[in-house]
Amino acid sequence: MSTIIDVARAAGVSTATVSRVINTPQAVREATRTRVLAAMEACHYRYNALARGFATKRTRTIGLIIPTITNPGFAESTRGIQERAAAAGLSVLLGNTNYDPETEEKLIRVFREMQVDGLVITTTNPNNPILKNLVAEGFPFVVLYSTVRRGHMSCVGVDNYRGGYMATQHLIDNGHRRIAMIAGAFRSSDKSRGRWDGYRQCLRENGLVYDKDFLAQTTYSLASGREVIQQLLRLETPPTAVFCSNDYLAIGVMEGARDAGLELPADLSVVGFDDIPLASYVTPGLDTIRLPAYEMGALGFEALLERIEKGGQTPVHRMLGLELIVRGSVAPPRGNA
Amino acid sequence: MSTIIDVARAAGVSTATVSRVINTPQAVREATRTRVLAAMEACHYRYNALARGFATKRTRTIGLIIPTITNPGFAESTRGIQERAAAAGLSVLLGNTNYDPETEEKLIRVFREMQVDGLVITTTNPNNPILKNLVAEGFPFVVLYSTVRRGHMSCVGVDNYRGGYMATQHLIDNGHRRIAMIAGAFRSSDKSRGRWDGYRQCLRENGLVYDKDFLAQTTYSLASGREVIQQLLRLETPPTAVFCSNDYLAIGVMEGARDAGLELPADLSVVGFDDIPLASYVTPGLDTIRLPAYEMGALGFEALLERIEKGGQTPVHRMLGLELIVRGSVAPPRGNA
DNA sequence: GTGAAAGCGCTAACAG
DNA sequence: CTGTTAGCGCTTTCAC
């Protein structure tokens, strides 16, 4: 490949001038500039962003870490980040952890070795010491989905506790008293745990007992929702309603309940979390807690960009609003009303 | 940050030795190695992959271009690529084109400026001259989803024509004669066009007329499927069946048909394409053409890796099998037997 | 406005 | 086994 040196030679200028034509064209006389541009064309010159990154120590690349690309919620936040990043002229390196903390650590390391300018992390555990190190080093990053109130980490997220509470209250308002929860494994998802805390607290405040047989922890997928609900339904007094910590799980649950011969929502009420596009396409439409994923990604990126450009140290804490969406997957329990 | 030079100084060796400890540890005497390792630890040394890339002209990074992260089909192929890439120690840069050819070109340029070692491209148009240039330059890349029989491009894909044919035949076998097709815009998706060709040919070979009112081109999304079917149903003689060029569209169609008061599959039969996980979670289960997306990604990556490592020039052409999956969204038309 | 020259942190011969 | 020594292609003072 031809380099700046070749171009400089072909145009009869110095490499510094070629560099100026690329980076600060207005700092070069018109005539010189067009000559250089022509030379670049003639040489089939291609800019080497790696060399620039090496020289400037800025790569205009950020790393994005998500649990899995397969979940539409993360797809949305990713879209929010990528669109804003593209507009700002930054590239996004994407990595998935599959909810595995070790993979998360590895990705952080690899991205830093690649000299990314910053990181957006959807972490399985915001208390991970690795993140504290990042803060200590002053490395720019923002955490998505979670919100850590204390601490010096920038976060753009939602109040998962509150969302869990809202979902549960919705079921209680419809007359349910035997409410199960199917959650992502707490070990691999603090979001899941926050939602569970909200669920428990809501039960308590409504004078309902928390039955630990009614909590199932599993992986986030359609298939596990479908399986787990079957177990729950086999209990001596099965739940009349279930709150799932994401929509995928909830849709799996709906299907699993049908497999078991139940009619929805009469025999089982279901509430999800996220409001993925699909939630309005299943039958009945899924009641869920809407999480503004795209917006969260976009705002997260903006916060990161600010940190990168301005180099400030003050952490950003944004808590986005959640909203209960009612579509028809919740009804009063059979015995009731 | 500390560099190899600092580490070398701290360990009392040359930078070359430090480099060896990193890249070919077995080429360094045990004692020296542990001394260097200790020095790295003490200096909080972090490897600079950018500098290596600059020096070696290999970044161990590939670029992946897909239309949109939002479609679960692409999410699956992406997963296939990422998992294999991670296993091979390569990182993946992800970019989406939103089915826009200009964005596709821009991404190719940006990735090449970043000196990726190769590219996996899910293109909107395999005949794009840009791709020919890539071939001419000998730059390693592979095209996914499409299969160009002629030409020197490596492809790992499926026979979209055949898939379209299979889907249509399935409907005809069930007694349908008025079969519509809802496709992604041909301008932005050659896959869609291939599937359409198969659809038309199948109609013809079965002695059915191809009614161009029965073809709708739209964007690939749940929402557009939902809208477009409404228009189709308003025709004087509406179709009794519809073949959608992807599952998202098909699921949208099912919902749109329900909005219009139809009963499925009795009033309208639907066939999709891809077999996304969700296809078995809607009611009725979606009949579709299964496309092995994960496998395609994995094989595509392997083909690319081979090209990168061995530097061969012989193009790979892999055509993966398609399979009709029957779940219940197709039934004989009402008037019929 | 433009040029000269010194690196950025690593690797890769080539010696020894 | 280990050290020496050039670069890789670009940016960036500092002169002119």
Side-chain angles (χ1 to χ4, degrees):
Chain A
M1 233 9 250
S2 67
T3 75
I4 262 195
I5 303 182
D6 304 318
V7 174
R9 188 154 26 224
V13 298
S14 73
T15 59
T17 298
V18 178
S19 176
R20 285 187 194 105
V21 168
I22 296 169
N23 298 293
T24 52
Q26 69 289 1
V28 176
R29 200 201 311 153
E30 163 98 47
T32 327
R33 197 193 321 151
T34 52
R35 195 147 39 90
V36 170
L37 257 10
M40 285 168 65
E41 189 80 18
C43 298
H44 299 291
Y45 172 71
R46 176 179 308 113
Y47 186 68
N48 186 329
L50 201 64
R52 180 211 30 207
F54 182 53
T56 62
K57 307 180 150 202
R58 294 267 275 96
T59 56
R60 303 198 64 73
T61 297
I62 62 165
L64 168 59
I65 297 178
I66 60 177
T68 164
I69 194 184
T70 304
N71 181 310
F74 297 125
E76 279 303 299
S77 54
T78 298
R79 221 165 51 80
I81 292 164
Q82 284 197 319
E83 289 189 2
R84 295 295 174 99
L90 303 208
S91 299
V92 179
L93 268 162
L94 181 74
N96 15 238
T97 66
N98 294 315
Y99 293 98
D100 174 33
E102 279 183 35
T103 309
E104 185 176 323
E105 284 194 33
K106 187 185 155 217
L107 279 174
I108 293 175
R109 186 170 52 68
V110 169
F111 283 160
R112 294 204 64 190
E113 288 185 355
M114 297 179 83
Q115 314 299 117
V116 295
D117 294 339
L119 242 20
V120 176
I121 308 178
T122 303
T123 181
T124 56
N125 170 18
N127 298 311
N128 192 323
I130 300 285
L131 299 183
K132 295 221 172 63
N133 286 347
L134 249 31
V135 172
E137 288 184 51
F139 185 79
F141 76 104
V142 0
V143 167
L144 240 51
Y145 282 88
S146 307
T147 45
V148 183
R149 283 184 200 74
R150 64 200 174 289
H152 297 283
M153 235 158 50
S154 285
C155 318
V156 177
V158 295
D159 187 342
N160 289 298
Y161 170 89
R162 178 137 192 291
Y165 196 104
M166 287 164 71
T168 311
Q169 187 67 53
H170 175 49
L171 290 166
I172 293 175
D173 289 346
N174 273 271
H176 291 276
R177 301 185 60 81
R178 294 206 308 283
I179 302 172
M181 173 166 181
I182 302 182
F186 297 159
R187 166 178 44 65
S188 63
S189 170
D190 80 297
K191 279 89 72 189
S192 193
R193 169 146 208 139
R195 292 167 197 180
W196 176 64
D197 288 337
Y199 156 81
R200 262 191 322 171
Q201 182 63 20
C202 182
L203 290 183
R204 186 174 310 128
E205 293 188 6
N206 283 274
L208 298 178
V209 291
Y210 163 68
D211 179 345
K212 69 177 184 327
D213 284 348
F214 274 8
L215 170 70
Q217 288 187 56
T218 182
T219 53
Y220 275 134
S221 75
L222 285 168
S224 48
R226 192 172 198 161
E227 282 163 27
V228 165
I229 187 61
Q230 313 259 13
Q231 299 168 22
L232 251 20
L233 292 173
R234 268 187 240 111
L235 292 175
E236 63 299 10
T237 50
T240 61
V242 46
F243 162 44
C244 299
S245 67
N246 90 2
D247 285 350
Y248 249 32
L249 235 28
I251 293 170
V253 161
M254 286 170 65
E255 209 51 32
R258 280 214 187 78
D259 293 347
L262 299 196
E263 198 178 302
L264 302 184
D267 293 324
L268 185 73
S269 290
V270 181
V271 178
F273 209 109
D274 282 350
D275 194 28
I276 60 177
L278 196 71
S280 60
Y281 284 81
V282 290
T283 315
L286 181 64
D287 285 18
T288 189
I289 303 296
R290 182 175 128 67
L291 184 162
Y294 179 93
E295 190 189 357
M296 186 172 62
L299 291 175
F301 174 78
E302 299 298 347
L304 179 62
L305 189 61
E306 171 101 11
R307 271 284 271 111
I308 292 175
E309 311 262 76
K310 311 263 164 74
Q313 289 287 352
T314 34
V316 172
H317 288 113
R318 290 278 308 246
M319 185 104 94
L320 305 184
L322 293 170
E323 189 186 352
L324 172 69
I325 307 287
V326 176
R327 298 200 173 91
S329 64
V330 172
R334 268 255 147 90
N336 220 310
Chain B
M1 232 10 250
S2 67
T3 76
I4 261 194
I5 302 182
D6 305 317
V7 174
R9 189 156 24 224
V13 298
S14 73
T15 60
T17 297
V18 177
S19 177
R20 285 186 195 103
V21 170
I22 296 170
N23 298 292
T24 52
Q26 71 288 2
V28 177
R29 199 202 310 153
E30 164 97 47
T32 327
R33 196 192 321 150
T34 50
R35 195 147 39 92
V36 170
L37 258 11
M40 286 169 64
E41 188 80 18
C43 299
H44 298 291
Y45 172 71
R46 176 180 309 114
Y47 187 66
N48 186 329
L50 202 64
R52 178 209 35 205
F54 182 53
T56 60
K57 307 180 148 202
R58 296 266 276 97
T59 55
R60 302 196 67 71
T61 297
I62 63 166
L64 168 59
I65 297 178
I66 59 177
T68 163
I69 194 184
T70 305
N71 182 310
F74 297 125
E76 278 303 299
S77 54
T78 299
R79 220 165 51 81
I81 293 163
Q82 285 197 318
E83 288 188 2
R84 295 295 173 99
L90 303 208
S91 299
V92 179
L93 267 162
L94 180 75
N96 12 239
T97 66
N98 294 314
Y99 293 99
D100 173 33
E102 280 183 36
T103 309
E104 184 175 323
E105 285 194 33
K106 188 188 153 212
L107 278 174
I108 293 176
R109 186 170 52 68
V110 169
F111 282 161
R112 294 205 63 192
E113 289 186 353
M114 297 180 84
Q115 314 299 114
V116 295
D117 294 339
L119 242 21
V120 176
I121 308 179
T122 303
T123 182
T124 56
N125 170 20
N127 298 311
N128 192 323
I130 300 285
L131 299 183
K132 296 220 171 66
N133 287 347
L134 249 30
V135 173
E137 289 183 51
F139 185 79
F141 75 103
V142 0
V143 168
L144 240 51
Y145 282 88
S146 307
T147 45
V148 183
R149 283 183 199 75
R150 65 202 173 286
H152 296 284
M153 234 158 49
S154 286
C155 317
V156 177
V158 296
D159 188 342
N160 290 297
Y161 171 90
R162 177 136 194 293
Y165 196 104
M166 287 164 72
T168 312
Q169 188 66 53
H170 175 49
L171 290 167
I172 293 174
D173 289 348
N174 274 270
H176 292 275
R177 300 184 63 79
R178 295 205 308 284
I179 302 172
M181 172 165 181
I182 303 181
F186 296 161
R187 168 176 43 68
S188 63
S189 170
D190 80 296
K191 277 89 72 189
S192 192
R193 168 147 208 138
R195 293 168 197 178
W196 177 62
D197 288 338
Y199 157 81
R200 263 190 322 171
Q201 182 63 21
C202 182
L203 291 181
R204 187 176 305 129
E205 292 188 6
N206 284 274
L208 298 179
V209 292
Y210 163 67
D211 178 346
K212 70 178 181 327
D213 284 348
F214 275 9
L215 171 69
Q217 288 187 54
T218 183
T219 53
Y220 276 133
S221 73
L222 285 168
S224 48
R226 191 171 197 164
E227 283 162 27
V228 165
I229 187 63
Q230 313 260 11
Q231 299 167 24
L232 252 19
L233 291 175
R234 269 187 240 110
L235 292 174
E236 64 297 13
T237 51
T240 61
V242 46
F243 162 45
C244 299
S245 66
N246 89 4
D247 285 350
Y248 250 33
L249 237 28
I251 293 170
V253 161
M254 288 172 64
E255 208 53 29
R258 280 215 187 78
D259 293 347
L262 300 193
E263 199 178 301
L264 301 185
D267 295 322
L268 185 75
S269 289
V270 181
V271 178
F273 207 111
D274 281 351
D275 194 28
I276 60 177
L278 196 71
S280 60
Y281 283 81
V282 290
T283 316
L286 182 65
D287 284 18
T288 190
I289 305 296
R290 181 175 128 68
L291 185 163
Y294 179 92
E295 190 188 358
M296 187 171 62
L299 291 175
F301 174 78
E302 298 299 346
L304 179 62
L305 189 61
E306 173 101 10
R307 272 283 272 110
I308 292 174
E309 311 262 75
K310 309 262 165 73
Q313 288 288 352
T314 33
V316 172
H317 289 113
R318 288 280 308 248
M319 186 106 96
L320 305 185
L322 293 171
E323 189 187 350
L324 172 69
I325 307 287
V326 177
R327 297 200 174 92
S329 65
V330 171
R334 268 257 147 87
N336 220 311

